[in-house]
Amino acid sequence: MTAISIASPSDATRARAIVLVCAFAAIALGALSALGAEQSVATMLVVCVFSVAALILPLSWVALALAALIPLQIYFPFAGALNLRGALVFVAVAALRVFIVRVLRPDWQSAARPERGRRIGGLRSLPWMIPAALFALAALVAVPTAINRYEALKGIYLWLPIVATAFVIGEIVRSEQLAKQIIVVLIAAGVGEAALGSLQTLLDVPRVIDILQMPISSLVYQPNMLRDRLTDLSFNWLFNQRVLAFGTFINNIDYAIFLAAILSLVIALLLGEAQTADRRPPTASRITHHVLRYAGLSLFAALLAVALMQTIKWSGMLALAGGIATIALLYAPRVSPRLLALGALGCIVALALAALFSGDIASRVLFLVQREEGAFATAGRVTTWLQLLGLLAQRPLFGFGLNNSPFLLDAAPSLSGGAFVLNLRSPESAYVAVLVEMGLVGFAMLALFVGVVVGRAFRDAQSARAPARAIGLGAATIAILCGNLTVVGLTTDQNGMLLGALIGLIFSSANSQ
């Protein structure tokens, strides 16, 4: 009888939800089949698969599956020329499920596990949700006066996967074991991306283009962007007639920031392993355990660092610098001879990598300097920032609307696939874009949101039972934030959901234990 009472509330409701989804999907599939819409039938099947998975999997598996979907996304056609992401469908349905279980009917969980009722009762996500809601409100206020209202609304929509991912991860993760498992999945995703990127650099340009033209490529690369850039080879990972690392990302700047965030997490865990070894008396089993963890984390860090260097993107280097600075700051009170030795070794390895890629680094630095000076007739970052900031006085409070800053800039020549073409110019900084697009009010809300997240990460790093994990999560978050100083990529498909996952882990109960 006890077993039946424990399983009945949540299991029965889950079964009803699955039956309801399947029933609507069957009706939709039947109607579409009758109309002869084969592509729509396939789309409904994919949506149904991701929706049912988000409903039927145990919540811990939902969190792990969500982390695994971050680098892949899984794109499929929707409504003709549009595309949907399987990861987005999955997280949206999972967020609805978690909202019902944690907020509308928290008694389901407490009835099933009375001893955990007090732990499940409150929303862990509430501290960051308040500034996020204020940010969304400020964005909505700017929509009626936006230059392009569709883009302003789309800008709000692009923030939703970040919020949904943070909410799902933050509310599901209640145990240290699950938090560790999610971090393992994220690191595995980063190492996989690094290995793929390094492999790509070994191929010539025609071979990579042939691979991207295969139908299966549209599953992991945004199809519309892929199709457009294949037309004129306007990929920013083409450099001096060769391929730079880009993984499953269309834009290898976003790829570099992704690698920098995961590398920051790995470095923090590696230093944490040294700190743990200093505290515990050595035994044969512990020594073996630490050696294996050292070797594994060191190998992962090396793979990530090499792939990051192979992107030759300074936004990635800036992201890594932010992550390492955060690690140094938070580990400073815990410094030990072993940590200092590892830090010195890391500096030597970094210098060796810089020497190995010195030719590419020098070429890239020269190009960036010449671009800022206008040598290529392309607008430099500083020029773009000054032009946008000069327009802030026109709408100082709520700005011009999200995603509208490119319309404030004149189309200018841009280096694209080795040729110069006229394109809308990017704001070249997520923060300059937010300041101009949402004004002082919206920028203040974003600053409040970032402050709440970073403040919680720093507090947990000082008081958590597992400080290495807390420091790593904080460093990875800072890496993404720093990388976006020189690029507009907070809401890109992979990095947006990675940021959401990191925020969710920071605010999960497991991170504060």
Side-chain angles (χ1 to χ4, degrees):
M1 292 296 294
T2 303
I4 294 175
S5 63
I6 288 177
S8 57
S10 58
D11 289 351
T13 306
R14 186 189 305 172
R16 294 189 194 103
I18 294 170
V19 169
L20 189 63
V21 170
C22 291
F24 279 117
I27 295 172
L29 288 172
L32 292 170
S33 298
L35 295 173
E38 295 182 1
Q39 188 180 57
S40 299
V41 171
T43 298
M44 285 300 302
L45 280 173
V46 176
V47 171
C48 186
V49 167
F50 280 101
S51 299
V52 171
L55 289 171
I56 197 173
L57 290 174
L59 287 177
S60 60
W61 289 24
V62 168
L64 293 171
L66 179 56
L69 283 171
I70 288 175
L72 298 177
Q73 295 296 309
I74 310 297
Y75 298 92
F76 57 93
F78 173 75
L82 301 179
N83 294 281
L84 269 181
R85 291 184 274 156
L88 178 58
V89 173
F90 185 85
V91 75
V93 176
L96 178 61
R97 175 184 173 187
V98 172
F99 179 76
I100 293 173
V101 172
R102 299 292 195 219
V103 181
L104 298 185
R105 293 293 300 276
D107 55 295
W108 289 352
Q109 294 292 332
S110 58
R113 296 176 177 86
E115 73 279 3
R116 299 186 183 181
R118 288 179 296 176
R119 292 176 60 194
I120 294 174
L123 272 179
R124 295 278 176 177
S125 305
L126 192 60
W128 66 260
M129 289 178 70
I130 294 174
L134 294 174
F135 177 82
L137 180 61
L140 283 171
V141 171
V143 169
T145 58
I147 298 173
N148 188 319
R149 295 180 184 178
Y150 168 77
E151 287 294 333
L153 290 172
K154 180 182 176 182
I156 299 173
Y157 161 79
L158 292 176
W159 280 89
L160 295 182
I162 301 177
V163 173
T165 303
F167 176 71
V168 169
I169 297 291
E171 295 303 318
I172 288 178
V173 178
R174 302 294 173 114
S175 69
E176 186 174 354
Q177 180 182 5
L178 181 56
K180 288 180 179 178
Q181 291 171 345
I182 293 175
I183 288 174
V184 168
V185 172
L186 292 177
I187 292 175
V191 172
E193 288 283 353
L196 177 60
S198 295
L199 179 62
Q200 289 164 340
T201 62
L202 301 177
L203 304 176
D204 56 18
V205 175
R207 179 58 177 160
V208 172
I209 298 303
D210 288 342
I211 293 173
L212 293 179
Q213 289 175 337
M214 296 172 63
I216 195 172
S217 295
S218 61
L219 287 175
V220 293
Y221 298 98
Q222 212 284 340
N224 290 342
M225 294 180 63
L226 179 62
R227 183 170 55 252
D228 292 343
R229 299 195 183 188
L230 280 172
T231 302
D232 57 2
L233 297 184
S234 54
F235 296 105
N236 66 349
W237 41 260
L238 292 177
F239 181 71
N240 290 341
Q241 302 302 315
R242 62 190 181 87
V243 176
L244 303 179
F246 63 95
T248 59
F249 292 66
I250 289 285
N251 188 325
N252 84 324
I253 298 179
D254 298 328
Y255 172 73
I257 294 173
F258 181 89
L259 293 183
I262 301 299
L263 179 55
S264 299
L265 176 58
V266 171
I267 291 174
L269 295 176
L270 185 60
L271 294 177
E273 195 64 28
Q275 186 184 38
T276 302
D278 283 341
R279 286 201 310 258
R280 296 180 180 178
T283 64
S285 60
R286 285 176 182 169
I287 290 174
T288 302
H289 175 76
H290 286 304
V291 167
L292 291 175
R293 286 179 62 89
Y294 272 135
L297 290 172
S298 299
L299 177 61
F300 296 158
L303 289 172
L304 289 162
V306 169
L308 178 58
M309 295 298 294
Q310 289 173 328
T311 65
I312 319 179
K313 289 295 181 283
W314 287 104
S315 296
M317 306 303 172
L318 182 60
L320 181 60
I324 291 178
T326 303
I327 292 170
L329 177 64
L330 294 177
Y331 267 116
R334 303 176 173 88
V335 68
S336 67
R338 192 186 297 265
L339 286 179
L340 289 175
L342 278 177
L345 179 61
C347 292
I348 294 173
V349 172
L351 290 174
L353 284 174
L356 183 63
F357 292 93
S358 59
D360 290 335
I361 293 174
S363 298
R364 188 64 182 173
V365 170
L366 180 62
F367 168 76
L368 292 175
V369 171
Q370 290 176 335
R371 190 182 71 168
E372 292 299 327
E373 294 175 348
F376 299 113
T378 58
R381 284 189 170 94
V382 175
T383 301
T384 300
W385 295 341
L386 292 176
Q387 184 176 350
L388 285 172
L389 292 175
L391 299 172
L392 180 61
Q394 297 180 19
R395 298 184 185 180
L397 294 181
F398 293 99
F400 294 86
L402 280 175
N403 278 12
N404 274 252
S405 54
F407 302 107
L408 302 173
L409 300 167
D410 295 330
S414 176
L415 191 63
S416 177
F420 289 99
V421 295
L422 286 176
N423 284 324
L424 285 176
R425 287 157 55 191
S426 167
E428 301 287 0
S429 171
Y431 307 105
V432 172
V434 170
L435 179 58
V436 174
E437 293 171 354
M438 295 188 60
L440 296 173
V441 174
F443 187 81
M445 294 304 100
L446 177 63
L448 178 61
F449 174 75
V450 170
V452 168
V453 172
V454 173
R456 176 61 177 266
F458 276 51
R459 190 191 74 184
D460 286 347
Q462 296 172 353
S463 60
R465 188 174 63 185
R469 183 176 69 225
I471 292 173
L473 294 173
T477 303
I478 294 292
I480 294 177
L481 296 174
C482 287
N484 278 273
L485 288 169
T486 55
V487 70
V488 182
L490 283 175
T491 59
T492 54
D493 294 352
Q494 293 96 332
N495 286 352
M497 293 186 71
L498 175 61
L499 178 61
L502 294 170
I503 293 172
L505 286 170
I506 288 171
F507 282 89
S508 68
S509 59
N511 199 48
S512 59
Q513 289 176 358

